[in-house]
Amino acid sequence: MGMQSIVYVGPKEFKRDTVTGSRQIFPRLKPIEVKDECAAMLLRFDNVFIEQNHLKDFLAREKEREEAMAEEAGKNEALAKAEQAAMDMTVTISGETVDLSKMTGPKVATLVESLDLPDLAPKGPQESMPDYRKRVRDAIREMGESDE
């Protein structure tokens, strides 16, 4: 009767063998020797148990998968920050933070006049108020950056 080394690669810290009835405990990623019959039954669950000689390949794939997930998470976070920044309608004028999204059209126009923004065209009839606010926000931010 032969023995074979198999490795538990499932998601838990350890796995108790309930398939063969041995109740043996398999720590994650640690090779354990079992009888050939038990190994044959457990290896049918190829997402949970693998032969020891496949462990290196499994770990390499696992590392690649984790790196890809981390990269994807980083991209998603950067995208969320970019969206947040695009939606942020606050500007700082003379040290005071002003939220343009809470201002009415006439108030925004008055603000533009008071700041003397010569390059900023007035709101056109076809332009939506949110688009106009974004243009004003960008112009005020540019003006603030050039003052520094």
Side-chain angles (χ1 to χ4, degrees):
M1 192 176 284
M3 298 291 275
Q4 188 174 352
S5 281
I6 63 171
V7 181
Y8 168 65
V9 294
K12 300 176 190 173
E13 224 173 284
F14 66 89
K15 177 73 174 159
R16 186 178 308 275
D17 173 16
T18 55
V19 175
T20 67
S22 74
R23 307 289 295 159
Q24 187 171 7
I25 295 177
F26 292 86
R28 187 171 196 275
L29 304 178
K30 302 281 188 238
I32 301 288
E33 280 211 352
V34 295
K35 295 177 184 169
D36 285 338
E37 303 84 51
C38 290
M41 291 171 75
L42 294 172
L43 289 171
R44 280 192 242 151
F45 301 94
D46 55 357
N47 290 335
V48 182
F49 290 98
I50 60 172
E51 294 177 35
Q52 181 181 356
N53 58 351
H54 296 300
L55 182 59
K56 202 177 269 189
D57 292 339
F58 172 82
L59 292 174
R61 282 192 312 273
E62 189 83 353
K63 185 178 180 187
E64 285 175 20
R65 190 178 64 79
E66 285 175 9
E67 287 171 356
M69 286 173 59
E71 186 179 324
E72 185 69 24
K75 285 179 185 176
N76 289 343
E77 188 176 325
L79 194 60
K81 281 183 181 179
E83 280 182 24
Q84 181 87 22
M87 292 174 56
D88 178 23
M89 295 302 291
T90 59
V91 291
T92 304
I93 302 170
S94 303
E96 193 173 322
T97 301
V98 177
D99 189 351
L100 297 175
S101 66
K102 295 181 179 173
M103 297 176 84
T104 63
K107 281 191 174 185
V108 173
T110 303
L111 177 67
V112 167
E113 268 185 51
S114 72
L115 292 175
D116 191 28
L117 296 169
D119 298 339
L120 188 69
K123 179 185 174 307
Q126 300 300 316
E127 185 176 25
S128 71
M129 198 59 212
D131 288 344
Y132 179 60
R133 285 188 185 112
K134 283 180 189 171
R135 257 190 334 116
V136 170
R137 173 198 66 190
D138 295 343
I140 292 171
R141 286 181 179 172
E142 266 184 37
M143 179 185 77
E145 288 171 7
S146 64
D147 287 350
E148 292 172 7

